[in-house]
Amino acid sequence: MTTELQRVYGDLGWIIPEALAGLQRAESVYFDTISQVVAASWSKGRVMLLGDAAWCVTLFAGYGSSLAVGGADRLGTELAAHPGDVPAALAAWEAAIRPEAERKQKLGRRVKGVYAPTSPLLLWLSLLPLRLASLPPVRRYIIRRFT
């Protein structure tokens, strides 16, 4: 795996060579996948999913924390508005939150190619700004401009 990472990222400069060298010395390396499951319903009876367990917008879209906090707040509001009827409160909660969560889910699917390119060409294009930034004249300009 580190040979492939070296092939793809080895010429980026900056701290990338140091990070890749660290991978060679590491006892273990953790890689993960990013997935999004779209559930038809977030509750059944008195049991419910909340936050990423319900709508998982993924790190591509962001908004996970704000949706979780907003969803929890709205859940409290609906439980207070439907005393003694948890299924009705959960149905009202989901009806209120689902449209925004679905917009964020769609955003995550739409922009995922920026963060996880699907082809070697798109990967190369996504890394182009980093490659340019590692060129000495560009690096000197960035240092002068932003430090």
PDB file of all heavy atoms in Angstrom, residues 52-74:
ATOM      1  N   ASP A  52     -26.019  11.157  12.632  1.00  0.00           N
ATOM      2  CA  ASP A  52     -25.481  10.387  11.510  1.00  0.00           C
ATOM      3  C   ASP A  52     -26.094   9.000  11.407  1.00  0.00           C
ATOM      4  O   ASP A  52     -26.152   8.426  10.317  1.00  0.00           O
ATOM      5  CB  ASP A  52     -23.960  10.271  11.607  1.00  0.00           C
ATOM      6  CG  ASP A  52     -23.244  11.501  11.091  1.00  0.00           C
ATOM      7  OD1 ASP A  52     -23.907  12.371  10.495  1.00  0.00           O
ATOM      8  OD2 ASP A  52     -22.024  11.588  11.271  1.00  0.00           O
ATOM      9  N   ALA A  53     -26.552   8.443  12.503  1.00  0.00           N
ATOM     10  CA  ALA A  53     -27.203   7.141  12.447  1.00  0.00           C
ATOM     11  C   ALA A  53     -28.478   7.217  11.614  1.00  0.00           C
ATOM     12  O   ALA A  53     -28.874   6.243  10.981  1.00  0.00           O
ATOM     13  CB  ALA A  53     -27.522   6.636  13.847  1.00  0.00           C
ATOM     14  N   ALA A  54     -29.112   8.379  11.575  1.00  0.00           N
ATOM     15  CA  ALA A  54     -30.341   8.553  10.799  1.00  0.00           C
ATOM     16  C   ALA A  54     -30.050   9.004   9.378  1.00  0.00           C
ATOM     17  O   ALA A  54     -30.494   8.390   8.413  1.00  0.00           O
ATOM     18  CB  ALA A  54     -31.255   9.573  11.483  1.00  0.00           C
ATOM     19  N   TRP A  55     -29.291  10.077   9.232  1.00  0.00           N
ATOM     20  CA  TRP A  55     -29.185  10.681   7.906  1.00  0.00           C
ATOM     21  C   TRP A  55     -27.784  10.724   7.316  1.00  0.00           C
ATOM     22  O   TRP A  55     -27.638  10.979   6.131  1.00  0.00           O
ATOM     23  CB  TRP A  55     -29.769  12.085   7.915  1.00  0.00           C
ATOM     24  CG  TRP A  55     -29.335  12.920   9.078  1.00  0.00           C
ATOM     25  CD1 TRP A  55     -28.111  13.476   9.280  1.00  0.00           C
ATOM     26  CD2 TRP A  55     -30.112  13.277  10.198  1.00  0.00           C
ATOM     27  NE1 TRP A  55     -28.072  14.159  10.457  1.00  0.00           N
ATOM     28  CE2 TRP A  55     -29.308  14.062  11.054  1.00  0.00           C
ATOM     29  CE3 TRP A  55     -31.422  13.034  10.582  1.00  0.00           C
ATOM     30  CZ2 TRP A  55     -29.765  14.584  12.241  1.00  0.00           C
ATOM     31  CZ3 TRP A  55     -31.875  13.553  11.761  1.00  0.00           C
ATOM     32  CH2 TRP A  55     -31.050  14.323  12.575  1.00  0.00           C
ATOM     33  N   CYS A  56     -26.757  10.510   8.068  1.00  0.00           N
ATOM     34  CA  CYS A  56     -25.373  10.409   7.601  1.00  0.00           C
ATOM     35  C   CYS A  56     -25.101  11.208   6.327  1.00  0.00           C
ATOM     36  O   CYS A  56     -25.058  10.671   5.225  1.00  0.00           O
ATOM     37  CB  CYS A  56     -24.995   8.949   7.381  1.00  0.00           C
ATOM     38  SG  CYS A  56     -23.230   8.776   7.036  1.00  0.00           S
ATOM     39  N   VAL A  57     -24.884  12.495   6.476  1.00  0.00           N
ATOM     40  CA  VAL A  57     -24.618  13.322   5.299  1.00  0.00           C
ATOM     41  C   VAL A  57     -23.199  13.133   4.782  1.00  0.00           C
ATOM     42  O   VAL A  57     -22.887  13.573   3.687  1.00  0.00           O
ATOM     43  CB  VAL A  57     -24.891  14.815   5.576  1.00  0.00           C
ATOM     44  CG1 VAL A  57     -26.369  15.039   5.828  1.00  0.00           C
ATOM     45  CG2 VAL A  57     -24.063  15.335   6.726  1.00  0.00           C
ATOM     46  N   THR A  58     -22.324  12.505   5.503  1.00  0.00           N
ATOM     47  CA  THR A  58     -20.917  12.220   5.209  1.00  0.00           C
ATOM     48  C   THR A  58     -20.065  13.471   5.358  1.00  0.00           C
ATOM     49  O   THR A  58     -20.553  14.590   5.298  1.00  0.00           O
ATOM     50  CB  THR A  58     -20.641  11.610   3.815  1.00  0.00           C
ATOM     51  OG1 THR A  58     -20.667  12.616   2.825  1.00  0.00           O
ATOM     52  CG2 THR A  58     -21.582  10.486   3.490  1.00  0.00           C
ATOM     53  N   LEU A  59     -18.787  13.248   5.507  1.00  0.00           N
ATOM     54  CA  LEU A  59     -17.865  14.377   5.661  1.00  0.00           C
ATOM     55  C   LEU A  59     -17.740  15.185   4.373  1.00  0.00           C
ATOM     56  O   LEU A  59     -17.245  16.295   4.379  1.00  0.00           O
ATOM     57  CB  LEU A  59     -16.496  13.906   6.139  1.00  0.00           C
ATOM     58  CG  LEU A  59     -15.686  12.978   5.250  1.00  0.00           C
ATOM     59  CD1 LEU A  59     -14.885  13.752   4.217  1.00  0.00           C
ATOM     60  CD2 LEU A  59     -14.744  12.174   6.105  1.00  0.00           C
ATOM     61  N   PHE A  60     -18.188  14.639   3.252  1.00  0.00           N
ATOM     62  CA  PHE A  60     -18.128  15.391   2.004  1.00  0.00           C
ATOM     63  C   PHE A  60     -19.037  16.617   2.064  1.00  0.00           C
ATOM     64  O   PHE A  60     -18.735  17.644   1.488  1.00  0.00           O
ATOM     65  CB  PHE A  60     -18.541  14.526   0.814  1.00  0.00           C
ATOM     66  CG  PHE A  60     -17.629  13.371   0.568  1.00  0.00           C
ATOM     67  CD1 PHE A  60     -18.141  12.127   0.292  1.00  0.00           C
ATOM     68  CD2 PHE A  60     -16.253  13.522   0.595  1.00  0.00           C
ATOM     69  CE1 PHE A  60     -17.298  11.050   0.051  1.00  0.00           C
ATOM     70  CE2 PHE A  60     -15.405  12.464   0.363  1.00  0.00           C
ATOM     71  CZ  PHE A  60     -15.937  11.220   0.085  1.00  0.00           C
ATOM     72  N   ALA A  61     -20.179  16.489   2.720  1.00  0.00           N
ATOM     73  CA  ALA A  61     -21.131  17.594   2.783  1.00  0.00           C
ATOM     74  C   ALA A  61     -20.936  18.445   4.016  1.00  0.00           C
ATOM     75  O   ALA A  61     -21.261  19.626   4.020  1.00  0.00           O
ATOM     76  CB  ALA A  61     -22.567  17.063   2.758  1.00  0.00           C
ATOM     77  N   GLY A  62     -20.410  17.865   5.082  1.00  0.00           N
ATOM     78  CA  GLY A  62     -20.364  18.584   6.345  1.00  0.00           C
ATOM     79  C   GLY A  62     -21.752  18.589   6.955  1.00  0.00           C
ATOM     80  O   GLY A  62     -22.584  17.743   6.631  1.00  0.00           O
ATOM     81  N   TYR A  63     -22.023  19.515   7.810  1.00  0.00           N
ATOM     82  CA  TYR A  63     -23.338  19.716   8.434  1.00  0.00           C
ATOM     83  C   TYR A  63     -23.735  18.628   9.415  1.00  0.00           C
ATOM     84  O   TYR A  63     -24.820  18.676   9.971  1.00  0.00           O
ATOM     85  CB  TYR A  63     -24.451  19.874   7.384  1.00  0.00           C
ATOM     86  CG  TYR A  63     -24.242  21.028   6.449  1.00  0.00           C
ATOM     87  CD1 TYR A  63     -23.730  20.813   5.173  1.00  0.00           C
ATOM     88  CD2 TYR A  63     -24.520  22.329   6.845  1.00  0.00           C
ATOM     89  CE1 TYR A  63     -23.517  21.873   4.310  1.00  0.00           C
ATOM     90  CE2 TYR A  63     -24.312  23.390   5.994  1.00  0.00           C
ATOM     91  CZ  TYR A  63     -23.809  23.154   4.718  1.00  0.00           C
ATOM     92  OH  TYR A  63     -23.607  24.189   3.877  1.00  0.00           O
ATOM     93  N   GLY A  64     -22.915  17.601   9.641  1.00  0.00           N
ATOM     94  CA  GLY A  64     -23.296  16.516  10.544  1.00  0.00           C
ATOM     95  C   GLY A  64     -23.607  17.005  11.939  1.00  0.00           C
ATOM     96  O   GLY A  64     -24.641  16.655  12.512  1.00  0.00           O
ATOM     97  N   SER A  65     -22.725  17.839  12.492  1.00  0.00           N
ATOM     98  CA  SER A  65     -22.938  18.330  13.862  1.00  0.00           C
ATOM     99  C   SER A  65     -24.138  19.255  13.940  1.00  0.00           C
ATOM    100  O   SER A  65     -24.961  19.145  14.863  1.00  0.00           O
ATOM    101  CB  SER A  65     -21.693  19.065  14.361  1.00  0.00           C
ATOM    102  OG  SER A  65     -20.617  18.184  14.431  1.00  0.00           O
ATOM    103  N   SER A  66     -24.270  20.162  12.993  1.00  0.00           N
ATOM    104  CA  SER A  66     -25.395  21.102  13.057  1.00  0.00           C
ATOM    105  C   SER A  66     -26.720  20.381  12.853  1.00  0.00           C
ATOM    106  O   SER A  66     -27.707  20.702  13.524  1.00  0.00           O
ATOM    107  CB  SER A  66     -25.217  22.234  12.044  1.00  0.00           C
ATOM    108  OG  SER A  66     -25.116  21.734  10.738  1.00  0.00           O
ATOM    109  N   LEU A  67     -26.758  19.392  11.964  1.00  0.00           N
ATOM    110  CA  LEU A  67     -27.993  18.631  11.805  1.00  0.00           C
ATOM    111  C   LEU A  67     -28.299  17.810  13.058  1.00  0.00           C
ATOM    112  O   LEU A  67     -29.460  17.668  13.439  1.00  0.00           O
ATOM    113  CB  LEU A  67     -27.900  17.705  10.592  1.00  0.00           C
ATOM    114  CG  LEU A  67     -28.183  18.339   9.232  1.00  0.00           C
ATOM    115  CD1 LEU A  67     -27.880  17.352   8.117  1.00  0.00           C
ATOM    116  CD2 LEU A  67     -29.622  18.813   9.138  1.00  0.00           C
ATOM    117  N   ALA A  68     -27.273  17.263  13.691  1.00  0.00           N
ATOM    118  CA  ALA A  68     -27.499  16.477  14.905  1.00  0.00           C
ATOM    119  C   ALA A  68     -28.061  17.355  16.026  1.00  0.00           C
ATOM    120  O   ALA A  68     -29.026  16.973  16.702  1.00  0.00           O
ATOM    121  CB  ALA A  68     -26.207  15.799  15.350  1.00  0.00           C
ATOM    122  N   VAL A  69     -27.477  18.535  16.206  1.00  0.00           N
ATOM    123  CA  VAL A  69     -27.954  19.439  17.252  1.00  0.00           C
ATOM    124  C   VAL A  69     -29.364  19.928  16.915  1.00  0.00           C
ATOM    125  O   VAL A  69     -30.266  19.921  17.766  1.00  0.00           O
ATOM    126  CB  VAL A  69     -26.980  20.619  17.449  1.00  0.00           C
ATOM    127  CG1 VAL A  69     -27.571  21.688  18.346  1.00  0.00           C
ATOM    128  CG2 VAL A  69     -25.651  20.120  18.002  1.00  0.00           C
ATOM    129  N   GLY A  70     -29.570  20.341  15.667  1.00  0.00           N
ATOM    130  CA  GLY A  70     -30.904  20.786  15.253  1.00  0.00           C
ATOM    131  C   GLY A  70     -31.932  19.670  15.341  1.00  0.00           C
ATOM    132  O   GLY A  70     -33.079  19.886  15.759  1.00  0.00           O
ATOM    133  N   GLY A  71     -31.516  18.463  14.950  1.00  0.00           N
ATOM    134  CA  GLY A  71     -32.425  17.327  15.022  1.00  0.00           C
ATOM    135  C   GLY A  71     -32.803  16.982  16.448  1.00  0.00           C
ATOM    136  O   GLY A  71     -33.958  16.669  16.749  1.00  0.00           O
ATOM    137  N   ALA A  72     -31.835  17.032  17.360  1.00  0.00           N
ATOM    138  CA  ALA A  72     -32.112  16.749  18.767  1.00  0.00           C
ATOM    139  C   ALA A  72     -33.029  17.814  19.361  1.00  0.00           C
ATOM    140  O   ALA A  72     -33.970  17.493  20.105  1.00  0.00           O
ATOM    141  CB  ALA A  72     -30.806  16.667  19.551  1.00  0.00           C
ATOM    142  N   ASP A  73     -32.779  19.079  19.001  1.00  0.00           N
ATOM    143  CA  ASP A  73     -33.629  20.161  19.497  1.00  0.00           C
ATOM    144  C   ASP A  73     -35.061  19.983  18.995  1.00  0.00           C
ATOM    145  O   ASP A  73     -36.022  20.105  19.763  1.00  0.00           O
ATOM    146  CB  ASP A  73     -33.064  21.515  19.054  1.00  0.00           C
ATOM    147  CG  ASP A  73     -33.911  22.665  19.550  1.00  0.00           C
ATOM    148  OD1 ASP A  73     -33.982  22.862  20.779  1.00  0.00           O
ATOM    149  OD2 ASP A  73     -34.526  23.357  18.696  1.00  0.00           O
ATOM    150  N   ARG A  74     -35.192  19.683  17.706  1.00  0.00           N
ATOM    151  CA  ARG A  74     -36.532  19.503  17.140  1.00  0.00           C
ATOM    152  C   ARG A  74     -37.221  18.282  17.740  1.00  0.00           C
ATOM    153  O   ARG A  74     -38.430  18.282  17.949  1.00  0.00           O
ATOM    154  CB  ARG A  74     -36.438  19.379  15.616  1.00  0.00           C
ATOM    155  CG  ARG A  74     -37.777  19.318  14.911  1.00  0.00           C
ATOM    156  CD  ARG A  74     -38.604  20.584  15.237  1.00  0.00           C
ATOM    157  NE  ARG A  74     -39.890  20.562  14.627  1.00  0.00           N
ATOM    158  CZ  ARG A  74     -40.249  21.330  13.596  1.00  0.00           C
ATOM    159  NH1 ARG A  74     -39.382  22.188  13.087  1.00  0.00           N
ATOM    160  NH2 ARG A  74     -41.447  21.248  13.097  1.00  0.00           N
TER     161      ARG A  74
END
